[in-house]
Amino acid sequence: MIARWQRAFLLFILTAMAAWLAWQWPRSPGLALLGALIPLAVYLLVMAIEFVLMHVTNRTDAAPRARLFQVFVAWWAEVWVALAVFGWRQPFRHQSLPDWLPAEPTGRRGVVLIHGFMCNRGLWLPWFAPLRERGHAFVAVNLEPVMGSIDEYVDTIDEAVARVTAATGQAPVLVCHSMGGLAARAWLRAGAATAAADHQKERRVHRVLTLGTPHGGTWLGRFSRAVNGRQMSLAGEWVGALQRAEPAGRAALFTCWYSNCDNIVFPATTAALAGADNRLVEGVAHVQMAFHPGVMGECLDEVGRG
């Protein structure tokens, strides 16, 4: 679904740019080029506003505040990474590579990859080759309905966990970007009405790795009209209820990466989880975090442990 929306949006923008160029070029080539670049200018401006809001909001956060040069570098990196993800991989390439569930177990633990808000499995394409080279079976899910409740993603995650477990004979690691980490926590909560059920659910997963997940919500959540977007409001009702429902010690399953240049999830420490192995990565933007070499390397190391 999200791939169709993103394709339609991109084709609309490109068609409008081409029409403007064709109309204005004979009259004024300069004006034609200037008008055609307006969508790009708006994109750069919106991204810049996100980073300004993030930097201002982070001034009172416990995480070390980013230097202005770090903010600029993160902005520039996010501009290009987001274009690659939302302008190519997700709308056009999300089904280009299949999940990998080898017929015979490799002896290595498998992985379930869970994307975030307004994304699909195309986000994870750069992860597929490294995982397969290391012998880790993987399933990358599509969370739908796109703008539905995070609680509605439980069955999708449950099915993916079952498939990877069947292929490997081991409980998988969940690797989650942004909202995907909240979906993983909602999956752990679902159906666990007793302590015994909680323990049984935890045995089905080896570890949960989150990258820029708004565990405490995010400042930007207040502007969303989507159900799942509102659920991610800073210190909101949904994230609060999720936290209260979790048993003591649940956070020990989690390793959480967070950044002081995350332009979507801020203040920065809202992406940390009390009791988890929280790891600050400085100067890295939100989507960029999913492909940062250091973060990817540490995640692959975590998947390979145990």
Side-chain angles (χ1 to χ4, degrees), residues 33-84:
L33 287 172
L34 186 63
L37 290 174
I38 286 177
L40 177 60
V42 171
Y43 169 67
L44 294 174
L45 177 61
V46 169
M47 192 77 76
I49 290 171
E50 289 178 357
F51 278 88
V52 170
L53 290 172
M54 172 273 298
H55 193 56
V56 171
T57 304
N58 277 343
R59 71 187 185 279
T60 58
D61 192 63
R65 198 176 184 208
R67 302 185 302 276
L68 286 177
F69 181 72
Q70 284 182 307
V71 175
F72 174 79
V73 171
W75 168 77
W76 187 242
E78 190 78 344
V79 163
W80 292 102
V81 170
L83 277 176

Side-chain angles (χ1 to χ4, degrees), residues 133-153:
E133 287 168 4
R134 289 164 174 79
H136 299 297
F138 61 84
V139 169
V141 302
N142 283 320
L143 300 179
E144 293 185 347
V146 173
M147 296 185 181
S149 170
I150 296 172
D151 296 299
E152 295 184 74
Y153 306 142

Side-chain angles (χ1 to χ4, degrees), residues 148-154 178-187 189-190 213-217 227-246:
S149 170
I150 296 172
D151 296 299
E152 295 184 74
Y153 306 142
V154 166
S178 193
M179 181 190 72
L182 293 176
R185 290 172 64 192
W187 170 74
R189 175 180 63 176
T213 288
H215 290 295
V227 174
N228 46 8
R230 293 197 304 270
Q231 286 174 328
M232 292 185 284
S233 296
L234 184 64
E237 180 182 344
W238 190 87
V239 292
L242 181 65
Q243 181 72 46
R244 291 190 297 272
E246 291 173 331

